[in-house]
Amino acid sequence: MNGAILFYQGRNKLTIVVSRQKPKTIFEKIWDAHVVTQRDGYPDAVFIDRHFIHEVTSPQAFDGLRKRGIPVFNTKRTTATADHNVPTKDQHLPIKEALSRHQVETLRKNCQEFGIELFDLGHPYQGIVHIIGPELGLTLPGMTIVCGDSHTSTHGAFGTVAFGIGTSEVEQVLATQCILQYKPKTMKIEINGALGKGVVSKDIILYIISQLSASGATGYFVEYAGDAIRSLSMEARMTICNMSIEMGARGGLIAPDETTFAYLRGRKFAPSGAALERAIAQWRKLPSDDGAAYDAVLTFDASAIAPMITYGTNPGMGMRVTDRIPTAEELNELNERVSFKKSLEYMGLEAGSRLLGKPVDYVFIGSCTNARIEDLRQVASLVKGKKKAEGVEVWVIPGSKQVEAQARQEGLDKIFEAAGFELRSPGCSACLGMNEDKVPPGKYCISTSNRNFEGRQGPKSRTFLASPLSAAAAAITGKVTDVRQWMDN
Amino acid sequence: MHSMKEKFNVLTSTAVPLPIENIDTDQIIPARFLKATTREGFGDNLFRDWRYDANNTPIPGFVLNGGTYGGQILVAGKNFGCGSSREHAAWAIYDYGFRAVVSSFFADIFKNNALNNGLLPVVVSDDFLRHLIAVVEKSPATSLTIDLPRQAISAGSRSESFEINAYKKECLLNGYDDIDYLLSLHTAIRAFDLVQAETGSSQHG
Ligand code: SF4
């Protein structure tokens, strides 16, 4: 694919033009190879290799197909699961809440009617949509991937162009396997150097967002690079790409390398044997060419990153756990100050104060950001032989059935149980508080998820975003804790 | 051509000011109201937790309560519609009765979702946004005019032009949607799909 563009011309003719054009970024290589038609004044029609759907953002799209009387364009390119609105207890029983039950049943009916494979509740592959794609090998380098969920950017960790879409676009993909898009600008974010003890990939991305703000990358597609990124596992890379949307980016990706290929070996739907070797040979051509130009380039030093925590009501309002919350006067813009004050008021926090030592009521370890096996292992290694603090409620919600099974096989469930943590069944859970897993009004929750918006985890709930390690530490001490200091003890 | 939406041309209406930054789609429509499987009825829960307290009593002072402000234009702070991709946010705003949202900055996915539903996102300068909010807050009966063919928004004696993509403009003016256009590319897409399957972008199953 390096330097080669697939051009679709006329009716059935496909020419591969080996271009001697300017060097390209990985994003441009993938994008250009998926443009079906380009027309002046029109957005690109971009072909989508893989489409994921779930119960919340798909029913109206299927209705659209029904109204038009058209089938799904290619049923093999769409995979469904139930995750956003499912209970995390007693998943084998019918869903109690009528509207939620109806929504999951509607997904079931739609998948059956239109011929789409569904990993339903109880299926060994069920789980959060962005966790099951990679673990099943449905997510492969060089692909274009979309889903009616903004954290589709997670799949970018494999060197894919993956992004979230709305329901009208879900309908477009079901009907035509394409969506209409304008090519975004490109941004490279390089992180070099070694991470300190107790600092993990969640801290890297929370740090970047705190530097760029919740809208700092709007209009861009981000490529994460640098030796600090290269040294990360696939799980850790997914955490970073996952939160690209929290700084407004269309998506984020990381070029595939040996770590990527090793992860893909033996995955259920990934190619195997000679086919895999052929694919890997192609994937090696994906990384950005030397001298490829980006619209923006930012560089960060990994040693400046510490365990991070958010204090406000958007993910850009984050700081090192040892820092103090800024004051309104430290902000530049008058408008910002008003929103800033409103945010701290909601959180019940004082400007200029520190969060360290602040008591928490709930600990949520879950979501497509941090509910993979590596996250659960990190938590378990920290809490092994310890007990949670009195009065703190701790939920561990695995990202998928496979993660849950693996955790049990490794005996992590025993460690959690001994610590007083509750290991439940997979789903989005308190990441968005759509099912019954809600943080009560006014309560503080330290959460490994990706959003701290007002009411995100339940009406009037208050969220501190942090890494699985920091969340685990807070579960043990019952307050916001600097995990580094705690690990030394 | 199949047309699903109302057409948009020139809109003259009073406006509702909401000068808060980073209004995310969880505020526009909280997740617990996303359980419906149709597009209608979301307007009742627009800005639910800002609009009603825990007992479902309207919160005095919120701009949609009390009758001070009304109309088909929402004027909001920077980075409107960030967060979740839920199109329900655009449906809720439209269902409530708004036909345009004015801000100095929109999140990408929201902007797309709005345009796909006949809701016009109008991007103005920070300075003009401040002017609009000041004007509307001072005299709520002031009408704003959004002229899509001319790509201009005006309030009183001041006006500013705004950008909109030519394709999206044509869709809004005529009430077309993207699927109509994509369906017309069916043959080309089919051929593309076959080649993709051969060149290793594997399908599942
Ligand atoms: S876990 Fe949260 S962010 Fe991830 S897909 Fe579910 S709702 Fe979206």
Side-chain angles (χ1 to χ4, degrees):
Chain A
M1 217 182 278
N2 192 17
I5 313 173
L6 301 178
F7 274 117
Y8 183 75
Q9 296 181 329
R11 288 215 147 245
N12 277 315
K13 219 166 45 185
L14 185 91
T15 356
I16 296 180
V17 180
V18 179
S19 68
R20 277 164 211 75
Q21 291 175 342
K22 63 177 175 85
K24 281 185 173 187
T25 65
I26 174 172
F27 171 79
E28 289 167 319
K29 290 182 195 181
I30 300 173
W31 183 278
D32 292 349
H34 287 82
V35 173
V36 180
T37 62
Q38 235 164 1
R39 222 166 111 184
D40 263 357
Y42 281 77
D44 293 349
V46 179
F47 187 84
I48 300 302
D49 293 316
R50 173 77 60 230
H51 182 208
F52 293 105
I53 60 170
H54 59 84
E55 73 278 23
V56 177
T57 58
S58 69
Q60 297 85 353
F62 283 109
D63 275 350
L65 296 190
R66 244 177 245 118
K67 269 186 211 144
R68 291 172 199 262
I70 52 178
V72 168
F73 185 88
N74 182 347
T75 53
K76 295 228 178 320
R77 292 192 181 275
T78 295
T79 307
T81 192
D83 58 356
H84 278 63
N85 189 13
V86 300
T88 53
K89 277 179 165 177
D90 297 328
Q91 277 188 349
H92 59 288
L93 299 177
I95 300 174
K96 280 192 221 120
E97 212 258 332
L99 285 173
S100 305
R101 191 173 61 242
H102 178 68
Q103 206 166 40
V104 173
E105 278 166 2
T106 303
L107 179 70
R108 224 167 265 160
K109 275 201 293 222
N110 284 331
C111 287
Q112 210 162 41
E113 182 183 336
F114 287 89
I116 286 166
E117 179 147 27
L118 165 67
F119 300 133
D120 203 347
L121 282 182
H123 192 287
Y125 296 159
Q126 179 266 341
I128 303 174
V129 63
H130 310 309
I131 296 217
I132 67 166
E135 77 182 5
L136 290 171
L138 287 167
T139 299
L140 299 173
M143 280 184 165
T144 47
I145 300 179
V146 295
C147 170
D149 182 281
S150 56
H151 293 95
T152 308
S153 58
T154 313
H155 307 261
F158 290 78
T160 70
V161 168
F163 50 91
I165 56 177
T167 298
S168 294
E169 290 165 315
V170 171
E171 187 182 337
Q172 289 165 30
V173 177
L174 289 173
T176 70
Q177 208 55 45
C178 282
I179 57 169
L180 291 177
Q181 289 281 309
Y182 292 94
K183 198 171 177 174
K185 292 179 284 184
T186 55
M187 178 188 284
K188 177 154 90 165
I189 298 182
E190 246 188 67
I191 302 121
N192 292 307
L195 288 173
K197 195 174 172 188
V199 182
V200 292
S201 70
K202 180 65 162 287
D203 300 308
I204 299 179
I205 190 64
L206 283 174
Y207 176 78
I208 295 173
I209 301 167
S210 76
Q211 300 297 304
L212 265 79
S213 90
S215 60
T218 302
Y220 289 93
F221 208 99
V222 176
E223 177 180 347
Y224 302 96
D227 52 31
I229 297 290
R230 290 261 77 88
S231 68
L232 297 175
S233 68
M234 286 316 294
E235 277 93 343
R237 292 180 189 184
M238 284 188 252
T239 302
I240 297 209
C241 290
N242 173 276
M243 290 191 72
S244 306
I245 181 76
E246 307 311 340
M247 49 188 176
R250 202 73 186 87
L253 60 71
I254 294 171
D257 58 12
E258 298 312 315
T259 308
T260 321
F261 309 145
Y263 178 98
L264 289 170
R265 282 182 203 282
R267 300 272 156 191
K268 174 79 183 168
F269 296 107
S272 58
L276 178 62
E277 298 318 313
R278 272 198 307 277
I280 289 177
Q282 287 304 310
W283 296 338
R284 285 191 202 284
K285 297 174 187 168
L286 283 170
S288 298
D289 300 332
D290 288 340
Y294 297 82
D295 296 298
V297 178
L298 298 173
T299 310
F300 295 103
D301 180 2
S303 64
I305 305 174
M308 297 288 292
I309 192 157
T310 63
Y311 56 84
T313 54
N314 73 59
M317 300 174 84
M319 62 181 188
R320 296 186 191 91
V321 70
T322 46
D323 287 347
R324 55 172 189 78
I325 300 169
T327 60
E329 289 63 40
E330 286 165 343
L331 302 171
N332 307 326
E333 269 196 67
L334 203 66
N335 289 350
E336 266 176 43
R337 290 184 193 171
V338 178
S339 302
F340 178 81
K341 282 183 183 153
K342 180 177 177 296
S343 178
L344 285 196
E345 204 177 299
Y346 179 88
M347 291 297 292
L349 298 172
E350 291 290 325
S353 69
R354 282 178 210 281
L355 273 186
L356 217 50
K358 172 97 188 159
V360 299
D361 309 292
Y362 284 76
V363 178
F364 173 64
I365 292 159
S367 91
C368 58
T369 313
N370 282 124
R372 282 170 284 269
I373 189 66
E374 192 177 284
D375 302 310
L376 268 49
R377 282 184 194 138
Q378 269 176 18
V379 172
S381 72
L382 199 94
V383 306
K384 190 168 185 182
K386 302 186 177 66
K387 271 197 95 56
K388 73 175 176 74
E390 193 92 16
V392 178
E393 191 152 339
V394 187
W395 298 335
V396 183
I397 316 288
S400 70
K401 273 301 208 199
Q402 293 207 82
V403 170
E404 184 188 347
Q406 180 81 23
R408 290 188 192 282
Q409 198 192 321
E410 294 179 16
L412 307 187
D413 54 330
K414 301 279 181 321
I415 297 173
F416 294 144
E417 204 181 280
F421 292 13
E422 197 180 346
L423 177 67
R424 296 196 184 175
S425 296
C428 294
S429 179
C431 172
L432 87 165
M434 210 176 151
N435 68 355
E436 47 284 304
D437 304 346
K438 290 184 179 64
V439 174
K443 297 291 183 197
Y444 289 97
C445 177
I446 186 161
S447 176
T448 68
S449 57
N450 42 53
R451 285 186 174 140
N452 51 356
F453 297 153
E454 285 187 27
R456 172 80 178 180
Q457 299 196 287
K460 300 271 177 273
S461 60
R462 292 158 161 171
T463 303
F464 300 134
L465 299 177
S467 76
L469 278 180
S470 296
I476 304 300
T477 61
K479 40 193 188 234
V480 174
T481 300
D482 183 348
V483 68
R484 293 171 299 185
Q485 176 193 339
W486 199 83
M487 284 167 104
D488 288 340
N489 285 343
Chain B
M1 199 172 230
H2 184 98
S3 131
M4 294 184 58
K5 300 174 312 242
E6 273 175 54
K7 297 175 185 179
F8 193 111
N9 203 288
V10 178
L11 173 66
T12 297
S13 166
T14 53
V16 177
L18 195 53
I20 298 168
E21 298 190 350
N22 299 312
I23 295 179
D24 58 80
T25 53
D26 272 84
Q27 306 320 312
I28 299 172
I29 180 93
R32 59 188 194 280
F33 300 111
L34 306 185
K35 297 180 183 183
T37 54
T38 61
R39 284 175 196 247
E40 291 78 35
F42 290 102
D44 291 345
N45 295 314
L46 175 66
F47 296 118
R48 179 74 198 201
D49 293 335
W50 289 351
R51 214 165 129 200
Y52 300 103
D53 67 14
N55 304 315
N56 296 329
T57 311
I59 299 170
F62 184 62
V63 286
L64 296 186
N65 298 329
T68 308
Y69 302 105
Q72 295 182 301
I73 302 171
L74 180 65
V75 184
K78 181 170 88 180
N79 198 25
F80 186 84
C82 60
S84 156
S85 62
R86 59 187 70 159
E87 194 162 316
H88 312 67
W91 299 337
I93 295 171
Y94 193 94
D95 191 58
Y96 183 86
F98 291 112
R99 292 296 173 266
V101 185
V102 183
S103 177
S104 56
F105 202 92
F106 288 93
D108 273 343
I109 304 181
F110 176 81
K111 198 175 180 181
N112 259 339
N113 287 342
L115 287 164
N116 280 335
N117 287 280
L119 178 70
L120 180 65
V122 180
V123 185
V124 296
S125 64
D126 282 318
D127 182 50
F128 197 72
L129 184 69
R130 270 193 292 274
H131 165 72
L132 288 179
I133 287 174
V135 165
V136 175
E137 284 185 342
K138 191 162 165 238
S139 38
T142 311
S143 277
L144 317 185
T145 295
I146 298 171
D147 185 330
L148 179 59
R150 293 213 162 98
Q151 295 183 214
I153 172 167
S154 56
S157 56
R158 277 184 72 175
S159 105
E160 192 174 86
S161 63
F162 62 86
E163 293 290 316
I164 180 167
N165 170 265
Y167 165 76
K168 282 295 177 191
K169 181 175 172 181
E170 190 187 314
C171 286
L172 281 170
L173 287 171
N174 297 301
Y176 298 158
D177 67 20
D178 286 351
I179 294 195
D180 299 327
Y181 175 59
L182 282 171
L183 285 173
S184 74
L185 304 176
H186 191 272
T187 316
I189 301 171
R190 186 60 75 196
F192 197 96
D193 190 4
L194 288 175
V195 175
Q196 280 296 99
E198 278 166 24
T199 55
S201 148
S202 76
Q203 303 176 27
H204 138 213

